[in-house]
Amino acid sequence: MLLYNFIMVLFVFHQVWLLPVLHAVKVSPLIEKVSDHKDFKKLLRTRTNVLVVYTKTATSGDSHLKLLSDVAQTVKGQGTIAWVNCGDSEGRKLCKKVKVDPSSKLTRNCSHLRFHHAFLKDPSGPPLWEENPEAKDVVHLETEKDFRKLLKKEERPILMMFYAPWCGVCKRMQPIFQQAATETKGKYVLAGMNVHPAEFDSLKQEYNVKGYPTFCYFEKGKFLHHYENYGATAKDIADWMKNPQPPQPKTPEVLWSETDSAVFHLTDESFDSFLKEHPAALVMFYAPWCGHCKKMKPEFDEAAEILNKGSPGVLAAVDATVHKAVGDRFKISGFPTVKYFENGEEKYTLPQLRTRDKIIEFLHNPQAPPPPEQSWEDKPSSVSHLGSEDFREALKKKKHALVMFYAPWCPHCKNTVPHFTTAAELFKEDRKIVYAAVDCTKGQNHELCKQEGVEGYPTFNYYNYGKFVEKYNGDRGEAGFTGFMRSLRGRDQEKVVKRKEEL
């Protein structure tokens, strides 16, 4: 194979891998067969991370085919596998032009390709965990068969780390885990396994792997419990292995008591009749799991106690996750949402009311809220604000795109906006670079954000000509955002210089 990163129709050879054979009829549609030189150049110009396989003929090799098909499926959207058959007339011309000889002795055991789904995602990045010499005391497993074999034969206790290569928490914990493996070597087994690929879905279901990393503790092949200290040091892990205890049960969710509260709790059925009976009502729409709601509940309760002793208005609450008809009717999209109703009609939405004193003050003198702060999208800046309708097309035109997926109400997002905006301003003259933003709460953007793997705000994704490459987990200040882009641009310049030297 050859890894190419193509810029200005120039080639750079990173590493050669040659397979003896592939079966032409059974090639996966995800493996792109190329024979024309123009098509080949176009492929390299428009795709990121292209792994090219050159073969002498188009015969035999079912095992190789399956392996390559699995890799192609795993890196879909992040890398491309192309196949050139040097045995046919057109392919022979192409192989000659790029100076490739499939009969060369530069062949390696193609079973090593099982690692290349990670290699293709980040060919110039750090080595895989299993290739890191400092992780030599971690038992690295590759297949479910290896995992079952370890459980069956190993007498020592095992702490298993199920992870995904792209996971930020996993990356942070890997050096800690490998240090613990070294410190406990001989007494216990600390093992790691990348279970992100779909082939491990049943294994993840079996051990309740719902996020990464997930740690499972085994004794004599039997799973006992999970280890959940994600802030652990190597010493913490080593100490825990001496006396492994199951995670402490989490405190059960405390529901908002309707009997001990001065707040009126409304339902889909009682909502309208309640507003008819109470001409002035401040209603909090909430979700039981919402952290901001939990923080606001005692403030709302205390305000209700005071207001009930003599007030022109009352306080009420609606669990919008249960009473969805009311929530949909008033377009509740975030929690908590506080609305003021007068004579049965909605009058104001009041995001600023979060504390007891402000709630009391408002009900004694209801006033329209201050005008909303100008949205980030409406402020002039060099950030390109995208949505589901133009996201793909806009990014296809940019070599380097750093996209911030956010929610306007998110405090971490608000803190990050000025730094991201400043970084965008610094690179505004570079037509190949864009800093873009997507408001995940707007219109159809919610589905787009879900497709792009957004699980929290803000999330930063890096794209190359519209293709996702990696998540950005660096510093969220101006220096982090600009340093990341400068490193990409510097890498581009180095490649151009190197290719010129090779020519």
Side-chain angles (χ1 to χ4, degrees), residues 1-172:
M1 280 178 266
L2 280 169
L3 172 70
Y4 291 82
N5 278 319
F6 188 83
I7 299 177
M8 302 300 292
V9 201
L10 296 172
F11 299 88
V12 60
F13 300 95
H14 284 266
Q15 191 173 11
V16 178
W17 295 80
L18 298 172
L19 289 182
V21 284
L22 276 179
H23 197 290
V25 178
K26 297 181 180 179
V27 169
S28 163
L30 294 175
I31 299 175
E32 302 203 18
K33 188 175 186 299
V34 188
S35 56
D36 182 77
H37 191 240
K38 289 183 180 178
D39 291 341
F40 185 68
K41 290 197 294 183
K42 182 180 179 182
L43 177 74
L44 299 179
R45 186 175 65 251
T46 58
R47 304 290 181 84
T48 306
N49 297 342
V50 180
L51 197 63
V52 184
V53 182
Y54 299 90
T55 65
K56 189 175 181 179
T57 67
T59 59
S60 186
D62 283 345
S63 61
H64 300 151
L65 174 62
K66 183 180 185 306
L67 185 59
L68 285 166
S69 299
D70 290 345
V71 173
Q73 179 63 46
T74 305
V75 300
K76 184 180 178 183
Q78 300 177 52
T80 302
I81 294 180
W83 169 40
V84 178
N85 174 18
C86 298
D88 62 33
S89 57
E90 289 298 317
R92 192 177 301 114
K93 293 177 186 177
L94 176 56
C95 292
K96 190 174 180 180
K97 280 195 174 185
V98 296
K99 300 177 182 178
V100 168
D101 179 8
S103 61
S104 165
K105 292 182 180 179
L106 288 172
T107 319
R108 298 196 188 184
N109 181 354
C110 68
S111 66
H112 190 80
L113 266 172
R114 61 177 171 264
F115 297 132
H116 273 283
H117 58 84
F119 167 72
L120 266 173
K121 289 177 184 176
D122 188 11
S124 58
L128 298 172
W129 194 22
E130 57 265 39
E131 295 174 359
N132 184 347
E134 293 181 5
K136 64 184 186 305
D137 295 320
V138 174
V139 177
H140 298 281
L141 304 175
E142 298 161 16
T143 66
E144 185 172 345
K145 185 178 178 181
D146 294 338
F147 170 69
R148 303 291 181 192
K149 187 176 178 181
L150 178 70
L151 293 187
K152 187 175 181 180
K153 293 190 173 182
E154 185 56 64
E155 292 292 325
R156 293 169 294 178
I158 300 169
L159 183 61
M160 188 77 212
M161 178 178 174
F162 293 114
Y163 69 94
W166 46 260
C167 156
V169 179
C170 305
K171 290 176 183 177
R172 177 176 59 78

Side-chain angles (χ1 to χ4, degrees), residues 266 270-281 283 329-330 341 343-345:
L266 309 181
S270 66
F271 190 86
D272 290 330
S273 58
F274 177 84
L275 292 186
K276 285 180 181 179
E277 294 171 10
H278 299 85
V283 182
R329 180 170 147 199
F330 293 103
F341 294 84
N343 298 319
E345 298 293 328

Side-chain angles (χ1 to χ4, degrees), residues 292-306:
H292 294 295
C293 303
K294 291 176 184 177
K295 187 176 180 181
M296 186 175 168
K297 282 177 185 178
E299 300 283 338
F300 212 64
D301 273 331
E302 288 181 26
E305 288 281 357
I306 295 170

Side-chain angles (χ1 to χ4, degrees), residues 431-489:
R431 294 183 179 181
K432 294 182 179 180
I433 291 174
V434 67
Y435 285 78
V438 175
D439 178 355
C440 293
T441 67
K442 194 175 178 182
Q444 298 298 316
N445 292 355
H446 178 71
E447 187 60 33
L448 168 66
C449 295
K450 187 178 178 181
Q451 291 172 3
E452 298 306 306
V454 177
E455 296 178 347
Y457 305 120
T459 289
F460 301 90
N461 285 356
Y462 165 59
Y463 298 83
N464 180 277
Y465 289 120
K467 297 190 76 174
F468 170 80
V469 178
E470 63 178 336
K471 287 193 179 292
Y472 171 81
N473 292 309
D475 179 69
R476 294 181 182 179
E478 177 191 335
F481 295 131
T482 56
F484 176 73
M485 201 61 75
R486 284 195 181 106
S487 69
L488 293 170
R489 196 163 62 174

